[in-house]
Amino acid sequence: MREFTDNCIVLKVSDYRDDDKLAKVLSAENGVFTVCLRGVKKAKAKLKPFAQPFAFFNAKFVCGRGAFLTVIDPMIISDGFALCCDLKTYTAASVAAEATLAALGDSEPHADVLILFLKLVKSLQFDGDPYYQSCAYMCELLKISGFYREYTYSDDPKTPVQALGFAQKHGHIKREADGRSLDLSRRALKYVCGEFERSFDIGLKSVESIDLYAD
């Protein structure tokens, strides 16, 4: 029986059986793995906060006879509710989470990516332009994954490529969410998602939601 204790963040949640859910998580020392949250659909289930996308928690994980790990004595560090209240923010976080799963998807330690994703979560909660924050994360994720490309930089970006160059240089700085910057960031996020899809030869379903909240 394999067991370990680790910090992890929930990147994806899906239904499983009548009362259970599966959570795909990114951990500090054990990479990406799937946790079965048993009975979480029941009204008074204690594990409900841990079945929330982008919840960050510490727990012991045990692998018995089943295909998925079981969580024991979890302790919530921060819930993911703030990222799910606004549709633009949720979309930006979902794109980043899906890209992370596609880029990693193994049991190797990825503490650097976990720290980067937690920085994104913090930025999405407190800064104004969620699409820009996701662009900054995606650029760093591509770099960590070995697909670095230097985008054209401008202090006053006017094209998606220049917006990505700005994100590469400045990272998670505060960007106000006015109409012009949001539209440019939206187009930049779609652009870098295209770069990601070409690099990893995989489609990102979350990209389809980006244009839904363009206004």
Side-chain angles (χ1 to χ4, degrees):
M1 177 183 291
R2 178 192 180 207
E3 68 175 59
F4 58 88
T5 300
D6 208 344
N7 293 328
C8 65
I9 190 164
V10 177
L11 299 182
K12 180 181 179 181
V13 179
S14 56
D15 289 331
Y16 180 67
R17 297 177 176 171
D18 292 338
D19 297 320
D20 307 338
K21 287 191 176 185
L22 298 179
K24 205 84 166 177
V25 304
L26 169 64
S27 70
E29 301 296 334
N30 294 272
V32 176
F33 54 89
T34 302
V35 176
C36 182
L37 300 170
R38 303 186 188 282
V40 76
K41 294 181 185 178
K42 296 180 180 178
K44 297 182 179 180
K46 294 181 179 179
L47 291 178
K48 279 188 181 295
F50 306 94
Q52 177 73 33
F54 318 119
F56 181 44
F57 64 95
N58 174 274
K60 178 185 287 187
F61 300 94
V62 176
C63 181
R65 296 180 180 178
F68 311 114
L69 278 73
T70 299
V71 59
I72 298 175
D73 297 328
M75 181 181 70
I76 199 77
I77 300 173
S78 63
D79 61 52
F81 290 105
L83 272 66
C84 299
C85 295
D86 178 80
L87 293 175
K88 289 188 180 73
T89 302
Y90 180 75
T91 298
S94 296
V95 169
E98 187 178 357
T100 302
L101 287 173
L104 305 181
D106 55 41
S107 59
E108 295 298 318
H110 295 293
D112 54 346
V113 180
L114 176 62
I115 292 171
L116 190 66
F117 197 90
L118 291 174
K119 183 183 290 187
L120 170 66
V121 168
K122 183 177 179 180
S123 298
L124 288 174
Q125 290 178 358
F126 299 107
D127 290 343
D129 187 339
Y131 293 157
Y132 169 81
Q133 300 299 341
S134 189
C135 282
Y137 174 83
M138 292 284 284
C139 287
E140 280 297 311
L141 182 62
L142 283 170
K143 182 179 179 180
I144 291 172
S145 303
F147 294 97
Y148 179 75
R149 171 186 168 184
E150 188 172 347
Y151 297 104
T152 303
Y153 173 77
S154 171
D155 284 328
D156 184 24
K158 292 182 171 59
T159 69
V161 172
Q162 290 176 347
L164 293 174
F166 188 94
Q168 278 183 322
K169 182 173 181 178
H170 296 288
H172 296 280
I173 68 166
K174 185 174 177 62
R175 294 278 287 178
E176 296 300 331
D178 59 78
R180 175 183 171 276
S181 69
L182 263 177
D183 183 64
L184 182 59
S185 297
R186 176 184 61 83
R187 291 185 288 130
L189 183 55
K190 291 181 65 178
Y191 188 98
V192 75
C193 283
E195 293 273 276
F196 186 95
E197 291 174 344
R198 286 188 290 273
S199 297
F200 290 93
D201 193 27
I202 189 171
L204 301 177
K205 295 181 180 179
S206 300
V207 176
E208 299 172 2
S209 300
I210 296 174
D211 287 336
L212 295 178
Y213 312 112
D215 296 330

